[in-house]
Amino acid sequence: MIEAFIFDLDGVITDTANYHYLAWKALGDKLGIKIDEEFNETLKGISRMESLERILIYGNKQNDFTVKEKEKMANDKNQYYVELIKNISPKDILPGIEKLLKDIKSNNIKIGLASASKNATMVLENLGLKESFDFIADASKCKNSKPNPEIFLMAAKGLGINPINCIGVEDAIAGIDAINDANMYSVGVGDESSLGKANIVFSDTNKLNFKYIVENYSCCSNC
Ligand code: B16
Ligand code: MG
């Protein structure tokens, strides 16, 4: 029985990926590491510090900086990112999301957030959606980045729901792996060929369909 929906934020509720991209690109330019959109794709769902480590490896500069210097770089990136997301408003909610949240609520099912972003609460506030969420998992308390299931399990725990009664919604491969390893039912949003490990995939948020998810979940848990 479905008792909760647990959402990823970036790429599912709103599209902040481009802001992360611009902020990492600005840092990359300073370091002489060229970050393109294709490489940025590999950072989706990955925590701030781990993203920085991946960027340094990508630019073959992984041994060039102290921990303190890396912390400063991550901080600078975040300051720029926070500046960029200041103007986010309800018009930035991805299509289909408000309808899905409404359908979930009207069926008395809980709603949680499992985002790797430490800025998640501020983004939800700017979108005017914070009150729609019963629990927001705190990424700063999460030790293991997706694909580790920790952040989804934190959200289920915070909601007081058994993971097998949760539906996880994600746009990143690392996120789908995290949902599956948390023993939840996984709903992917995006390209079916890359999100193939999800229980079901919708090509974009506008196609997300509450009834269809519920029917497929019941079918899946009965076989
Ligand atoms: P922050 P999600 C993730 O959000 C982003 O996809 C990823 O690009 C970002 O590095 C990560 O949050 C951490 O974000 O720097 O704001 O703490 O997809 O898990 O909602
Ligand atoms: Mg995402």
Side-chain angles (χ1 to χ4, degrees):
M1 189 187 146
I2 301 173
E3 292 186 67
F5 270 69
I6 299 178
F7 288 88
D8 170 50
L9 178 66
D10 174 27
V12 174
I13 305 284
T14 189
D15 196 3
T16 45
N18 193 46
Y19 299 129
H20 281 294
Y21 171 57
L22 293 174
W24 283 129
K25 199 167 145 16
L27 178 77
D29 288 346
K30 272 195 216 155
L31 299 174
I33 302 173
K34 197 178 167 326
I35 296 167
D36 58 18
E37 287 188 56
E38 196 187 335
F39 177 71
N40 188 58
E41 280 297 302
T42 67
L43 302 178
K44 280 191 175 173
I46 306 299
S47 73
R48 196 181 307 160
M49 274 321 270
E50 199 173 324
S51 296
L52 175 61
E53 297 291 352
R54 288 189 187 199
I55 288 166
L56 294 177
I57 292 170
Y58 183 67
N60 205 16
K61 292 185 188 291
Q62 64 272 32
N63 300 318
D64 294 8
F65 303 100
T66 63
V67 173
K68 267 224 147 75
E69 286 168 330
K70 287 195 262 189
E71 274 166 7
K72 164 130 186 15
M73 285 178 210
N75 252 336
D76 290 349
K77 180 266 172 183
N78 190 54
Q79 269 182 25
Y80 186 30
Y81 175 72
V82 169
E83 208 43 53
L84 292 171
I85 60 172
K86 264 189 188 146
N87 294 327
I88 283 183
S89 73
K91 67 173 176 14
D92 296 304
I93 300 170
L94 284 170
I97 291 298
E98 282 169 291
K99 161 101 176 61
L100 179 62
L101 293 175
K102 213 169 132 227
D103 288 344
I104 298 169
K105 271 262 140 63
S106 60
N107 281 276
N108 289 318
I109 295 171
K110 292 201 165 151
I111 301 177
L113 192 84
S115 168
S117 175
K118 293 176 183 163
N119 298 298
T121 302
M122 180 171 65
V123 172
L124 283 184
E125 268 165 5
N126 291 355
L127 293 171
L129 286 180
K130 188 167 168 264
E131 302 315 317
S132 303
F133 284 77
D134 299 293
F135 185 78
I136 298 168
D138 183 352
S140 65
K141 296 208 174 100
C142 181
K143 291 190 188 74
N144 303 292
S145 199
K146 296 170 190 174
N148 190 290
E150 187 178 350
I151 194 88
F152 279 93
L153 293 172
M154 271 170 72
K157 197 171 174 203
L159 290 168
I161 309 285
N162 187 324
I164 57 165
N165 297 325
C166 294
I167 309 276
V169 189
E170 259 285 353
D171 69 313
I173 301 169
I176 294 295
D177 287 339
I179 296 169
N180 291 342
D181 281 354
N183 251 328
M184 298 179 183
Y185 183 85
S186 51
V187 174
V189 181
D191 180 22
E192 186 149 16
S193 59
S194 54
L195 299 176
K197 284 198 253 168
N199 291 109
I200 37 172
V201 179
F202 296 91
S203 56
D204 62 68
T205 54
N206 213 4
K207 303 251 164 58
L208 282 162
N209 182 312
F210 177 75
K211 203 166 161 262
Y212 188 79
I213 297 171
V214 173
E215 282 166 6
N216 273 271
Y217 172 86
S218 322
C219 164
C220 198
S221 48
N222 284 334
C223 53

